[in-house]
Amino acid sequence: MPELNADDLAALGYSSLGAVNLWHKTGRHFTFSLDVALLMDLTSRSRTDPPPHDLEEIYRAAGVDMPQNAVELFLEARSAPEDIWNILLAATSTDSYKTIYDDSGKALTLQLRRSLGELSQDEIYFRDRTAGENTADHYQKLNISEAVSRVPDEVYYSFAIEIGGKQQILSQTIPADSVR
């Protein structure tokens, strides 16, 4: 991706399933899933999010009267700089890992801990991308550097744009050697 130079990115950390959080020097947030080589521009998604349909309900739940210009305030807030500390907090929240389910609806992380054991430093649970299902029996423990060496030959780049006030998710397939 011509606009992304690897020297301008810093890895903030990675999840137990091999999703690497990346910070671009321009203040953009990306995530890269090692098992499927999916690079997602999360900043583009947050900056093109439409106002929630239940905006009034959200204000009410917070115990605040909804201002007349609530939609305008929401749209304006989308362009605020990313807050790296909120990103780190969300990435390390135990709640985010409790809500990862396999294709059968079972808690995936718990199954992986039971079947493969706890992770050591620099290890992840890595899914065999050739397996059709996302179930615990298609994972193995790998050192993060070995997982990086198994990234597929093509990277799928996903980003969002806004067209006519609506968010549109686009993707590109890019040969991995042009990214490395």
Side-chain angles (χ1 to χ4, degrees), residues 138-170:
H138 292 108
Y139 282 80
Q140 61 182 307
K141 266 200 234 183
L142 281 185
N143 183 285
I144 188 79
S145 58
E146 185 177 348
V148 168
S149 72
R150 292 186 183 192
V151 169
D153 293 336
E154 294 182 318
V155 172
Y156 301 98
Y157 177 45
S158 173
F159 57 98
I161 61 171
E162 189 173 4
I163 298 176
K166 297 194 186 293
Q167 184 182 63
Q168 188 135 17
I169 306 295
L170 303 176

Side-chain angles (χ1 to χ4, degrees), residues 2 5 34 41-42 48 50 54-56 58 72 77 85 119 122 129-130 133 136 140 144 152 154 156 162 167 177:
N5 181 344
L34 294 171
D41 180 346
L42 298 178
T48 59
D54 58 350
L55 191 57
E56 187 173 350
I58 292 170
E72 291 168 356
W85 300 110
L119 294 172
D122 298 330
R129 71 181 155 273
T130 62
E133 297 178 337
Q140 61 182 307
I144 188 79
E154 294 182 318
Y156 301 98
E162 189 173 4
Q167 184 182 63
D177 33 338

